[in-house]
Amino acid sequence: MAQEADGIRLEQKHGKARVRVGRVWRDGHDGSHHFVEWNVSISLLSHCLSSYYRDDNSDIVATDTMKNTWFWPIFYVGMKVYVKAKECEDRLSVEEFSILIGKHFCSFYPQVYTAIVNIIEKPWERVSIGGKPHLHGFKLGSETHTVEARVEKSGALNLNSGIAGLALLKTTQSGFERFVRDKYTILPETRERMLATEVNASWRYSYDSVASIPTKGLYFSENFMDVKKVLMETFFGPPETGVYSPSVQRTLYLMGSAVLRRFTDVSSIHLKMPNIHFLPVNLSTKENPSMVKFKDDVYLPTDEPHGSIEATVSRVTSKL
């Protein structure tokens, strides 16, 4: 929210970035451990015009170290993340934790009216040894779970979850035809190509207040896994036959619309899907054109340059 003084408009925020925390929960029933690693960034929007327009820092939650005992240092922000993680005796989703942190800062500091909490959850996965899940062993996966929670002092909420770095590839059932051709076009049309991408998706939940979020434990964690499953199932199609992709654009739209159909509390989803190219290799020469011809089996992987395709798929809400 912009603030004005002396005929000048000011928008500002401050906070702490990359507060890293690992949390272990130990199940008292079966002895299993549950582990998460979160990278937390917090931005506070507050009424502190006096520090900008005058020599008055009395409303600032300071970003200095604990040397200055007159202020609560922003290091305390980082420490509060650890304190709140410690206070969470029961497992909770990264979405719930981000809302918890946002609520704290909006209620603890009178001058703070909005807290924006961004968290990246590393993909630690339980390992299996001899086909049996290990009680306390984990390995690092690939794609990450992202969250942004914007919490207002009034309790209003804007919650986005996402997935980053979901690398997908299929070796057939993809093509690209009937696109615009002009004197600059050298790309051949094809109904047989490899399709590879790295999906970055962010979906917005329809909950508009902290009080309205589901009370079911780990609800958002389950949703994250289910959204990822829907995205992958739509991209690949049935395991026996697959599904044909006429373009990355079409596949992106089908993936986004499938999420909206499956999850009624998701109001929109943004997908960014670069077209990571695997170029067919043809080793024939002018002198010996039949030496080695490409038969959809040898490719040159390249990620630069690549096509960039992204779009947002949203529900159409009634204006009545």
Side-chain angles (χ1 to χ4, degrees):
M1 182 175 67
Q3 299 166 307
E4 297 182 3
D6 302 327
I8 296 175
R9 181 183 296 269
L10 173 70
E11 295 185 45
Q12 56 79 33
K13 60 183 177 181
H14 66 284
K16 190 71 171 180
R18 301 183 70 178
V19 180
R20 298 180 62 181
V21 57
R23 179 62 157 98
V24 176
W25 288 279
R26 295 169 172 82
D27 194 311
H29 298 291
D30 62 7
S32 64
H33 293 186
H34 302 272
F35 176 71
V36 295
E37 181 182 347
W38 293 328
N39 191 326
V40 184
S41 296
I42 302 166
S43 292
L44 304 180
L45 281 66
S46 61
H47 298 290
C48 58
L49 278 178
S50 58
S51 63
Y52 288 89
Y53 293 109
R54 295 181 295 279
D55 297 333
D56 180 0
N57 296 328
S58 58
D59 288 327
I60 290 182
V61 182
T63 60
D64 201 357
T65 65
M66 295 185 73
K67 293 177 183 177
N68 189 350
T69 59
W70 292 104
F71 302 117
W72 288 105
I74 201 64
F75 179 71
Y76 177 76
V77 174
M79 290 302 297
K80 182 54 71 173
V81 171
Y82 299 117
V83 170
K84 287 299 179 182
K86 176 66 175 178
E87 291 175 352
C88 297
E89 296 183 359
D90 297 323
R91 288 173 60 198
L92 78 169
S93 66
V94 63
E95 286 86 355
E96 292 171 300
F97 188 70
S98 64
I99 294 170
L100 178 69
I101 292 294
K103 285 173 57 180
H104 165 75
F105 284 106
C106 283
S107 60
F108 190 85
Y109 296 107
Q111 70 271 37
V112 174
Y113 55 86
T114 301
I116 304 171
V117 183
N118 288 272
I119 304 181
I120 299 172
E121 180 177 83
K122 275 196 170 182
W124 288 104
E125 304 168 349
R126 188 177 303 278
V127 300
S128 292
I129 304 297
K132 185 176 180 180
H134 200 284
L135 287 179
H136 55 263
F138 301 84
K139 67 179 180 68
L140 190 61
S142 54
E143 64 275 359
T144 56
H145 183 174
T146 63
V147 170
E148 179 178 283
R150 183 184 180 104
V151 181
E152 308 282 347
K153 190 179 288 290
S154 64
L157 173 68
N158 189 314
L159 180 63
N160 292 270
S161 296
I163 185 168
L166 177 61
L168 304 177
L169 178 150
K170 60 182 184 179
T171 56
T172 188
Q173 288 282 53
S174 174
F176 192 48
E177 302 175 284
R178 300 187 301 277
F179 49 87
V180 174
R181 305 198 69 89
D182 55 36
K183 64 181 181 179
Y184 303 107
T185 305
I186 60 173
L187 182 69
E189 297 189 2
T190 182
R191 286 190 61 83
E192 178 58 49
R193 67 171 182 172
M194 191 177 292
L195 179 59
T197 188
E198 187 173 278
V199 179
N200 289 276
S202 176
W203 53 94
R204 174 168 295 184
Y205 284 103
S206 56
Y207 307 109
D208 57 4
S209 69
V210 172
S212 67
I213 64 172
T215 57
K216 177 185 175 183
L218 300 176
Y219 172 82
F220 293 108
S221 295
E222 293 177 5
N223 258 25
F224 171 78
M225 297 303 296
D226 289 341
V227 169
K228 182 169 74 168
K229 181 180 178 182
V230 168
L231 291 172
M232 293 174 62
E233 288 177 346
T234 308
F235 180 88
F236 291 113
E240 300 84 3
T241 61
V243 61
Y244 182 72
S245 169
S247 67
V248 178
Q249 285 85 347
R250 177 61 175 164
T251 297
L252 181 154
Y253 174 77
L254 291 175
M255 292 167 68
S257 57
V259 169
L260 293 185
R261 285 195 304 271
R262 171 66 175 80
F263 303 93
T264 57
D265 56 354
V266 172
S267 59
S268 66
I269 179 169
H270 181 83
L271 288 158
K272 184 175 182 179
M273 294 173 53
N275 190 358
I276 300 174
H277 302 297
F278 284 76
L279 306 177
V281 175
N282 192 335
L283 300 179
S284 61
T285 65
K286 184 177 181 180
E287 292 75 18
N288 189 1
S290 62
M291 183 175 64
V292 178
K293 287 198 174 182
F294 174 70
K295 295 182 179 180
D296 307 324
D297 54 5
V298 180
Y299 296 83
L300 170 63
T302 177
D303 56 7
E304 293 181 357
H306 62 249
S308 179
I309 296 94
E310 61 182 299
T312 302
V313 184
S314 308
R315 299 185 189 280
V316 178
T317 57
S318 172
K319 297 181 180 180
L320 297 179

